[in-house]
Amino acid sequence: MSVPLTAPSFDDIRAAESCLKNIIIRTPLLKLNYDMPGIEIYLKCEQFQLTSSFKVRGASNIVKMLTAKEKENGIVTASSGNMAQGLSWIAREENIKCKILVPDTTNEVKLKAIERLGGEITKCSFDEWFQVIINGQCPMLDGYFIHPVRNRHVMAGHGTIALEILDELPECDAIFVPYGGGGLITGIVSAVKHLKESVDIFACEAETAAPLSAALNANEIVKIPIKKSWIDAIGHANVMKEMWPLVKDSIDGSIVVTLKETADALKLLIERNHLICEGASATALAAILWHYQRLLENNKAGLRRKPGDEPIKVVAILTGAGIDNTTIIKCLNGTL
């Protein structure tokens, strides 16, 4: 019988912080150059990470935990790009092989980045790839399999983001997290709720694939239809069953944003703060700009501290920068 997946403990996250101290970058927390009444918006810029994504945190933490025996045949993962880059980078640092199973929908920017970092790519259909994600094993590739989401040490590495946020902005009231598989938000929650329980944590999803919102509304995992879009780093047909118990009662809700809202948020990031990030990242800012104020007004945000003389301080986690030039141009032209 398999052991149920558990969220990382706060000690796990502190240990990850120590492990990653001389490996990853402490990314900047920047204030958005945009006035929103009663709210100050900050941006945790994980696109400035070594591999242009937060995933290098979890990837490095788990690889550093492996024994020499576990690493002797190299490591394997299934990833649409960001985890693949993180593992490829740390594998190169550790001088071990890294084999990546990618869905054939992965964009060329991410594929080239994986190859540049030394990852060995094997392509398959999205359905085949997703089956590997569900089963948690990759029989077609030889090596130690590292699940991109369902791994306590991966989640602990991601949770170090929250330590940095609260160290720099201890008065933080809410954090908005793009939701893909649930590993990032579980790591964030595990750290934040230990340090400052009053902070609200919201998942952010795109309208084309929002399985967490559907599951929260139904109070159970449901399969939903998904549509392919330019937001390609998040969104599946359903929440992973192993992640559902970790997420459902620990977050303050999921906010679903439209493609237009996400494109407008990305355009704002580029024009106001001169920041480039992928579509998944922009969902967090879109949730704040076009949904959070309404939730506050309707007293549905779950916010512990109500708006007053002091502005509410919120953070959008910008998870990565895997976006191509054509998409950026369309965004700036308003044709995305």
Side-chain angles (χ1 to χ4, degrees), residues 267-287:
K267 189 171 187 286
L268 186 71
L269 282 169
I270 296 171
E271 293 179 342
R272 296 298 183 92
N273 281 67
H274 308 293
L275 295 174
I276 299 290
C277 65
E278 62 196 22
S281 297
T283 61
L285 180 57

Side-chain angles (χ1 to χ4, degrees), residues 34-249:
Y34 178 80
D35 291 330
M36 191 169 181
I39 299 175
E40 289 182 2
I41 303 172
Y42 293 83
L43 312 166
K44 182 57 173 171
C45 298
E46 285 294 295
Q47 77 272 38
F48 293 156
Q49 204 46 266
L50 294 164
T51 58
S52 301
S53 165
F54 76 95
K55 291 285 182 79
V56 72
R57 293 177 183 261
S60 297
N61 194 49
I62 178 59
V63 170
K64 285 291 187 180
M65 299 288 292
L66 299 181
T67 65
K69 179 71 174 175
E70 289 169 328
K71 292 187 287 189
E72 66 180 4
N73 292 324
I75 56 175
V76 174
T77 197
S79 169
S80 62
N82 287 334
M83 188 62 170
Q85 291 175 53
L87 284 171
S88 295
W89 182 85
I90 191 63
R92 187 179 65 182
E93 295 294 301
E94 295 284 299
N95 197 29
I96 58 176
K97 289 185 177 180
C98 182
K99 302 167 188 176
I100 314 292
L101 187 71
V102 303
D104 52 18
T105 53
T106 304
N107 73 50
E108 286 299 317
V109 171
K110 291 179 180 179
L111 291 176
K112 290 178 181 177
I114 295 168
E115 292 176 332
R116 186 174 65 249
L117 293 166
E120 301 174 13
I121 293 174
T122 298
K123 290 184 180 182
C124 65
S125 70
F126 182 87
D127 289 341
E128 291 175 306
W129 176 82
F130 195 64
Q131 201 58 47
V132 169
I133 297 291
I134 295 298
N135 294 338
Q137 52 186 328
C138 187
M140 63 279 280
L141 297 176
D142 184 40
Y144 185 93
F145 182 73
I146 297 174
H147 198 284
V149 178
R150 296 186 334 236
N151 185 290
R152 189 163 54 91
H153 298 300
V154 169
M155 292 186 280
H158 299 338
T160 60
I161 296 171
L163 301 182
E164 294 175 12
I165 290 173
L166 291 181
D167 180 59
E168 195 165 342
L169 189 71
E171 62 273 34
C172 174
D173 292 300
I175 300 175
F176 293 75
V177 188
Y179 187 88
L184 173 59
I185 202 166
T186 300
I188 296 293
V189 166
S190 298
V192 169
K193 296 306 181 182
H194 182 89
L195 291 172
K196 189 180 179 184
E197 192 175 1
S198 64
V199 176
D200 291 307
I201 309 291
F202 291 98
C204 306
E205 301 180 277
E207 62 180 342
T208 47
L212 180 58
S213 177
L216 290 172
N217 288 334
N219 200 31
E220 63 179 355
I221 298 173
V222 294
K223 190 169 184 178
I224 62 167
I226 61 175
K227 296 179 181 178
K228 185 178 178 181
S229 76
W230 60 277
I231 303 173
D232 63 352
I234 57 173
H236 302 296
N238 54 269
V239 176
M240 295 181 203
K241 65 178 181 180
E242 295 85 355
M243 299 303 297
W244 176 236
L246 306 185
V247 175
K248 65 175 182 176
D249 296 321

Side-chain angles (χ1 to χ4, degrees), residues 8 30-31 85 106 146 156 206 229 256 264 282 288 299-300 314 331:
L30 306 177
K31 189 174 181 181
Q85 291 175 53
T106 304
I146 297 174
S229 76
V256 180
D264 289 345
I288 298 171
N299 293 318
K300 292 182 179 180
V314 302
C331 175

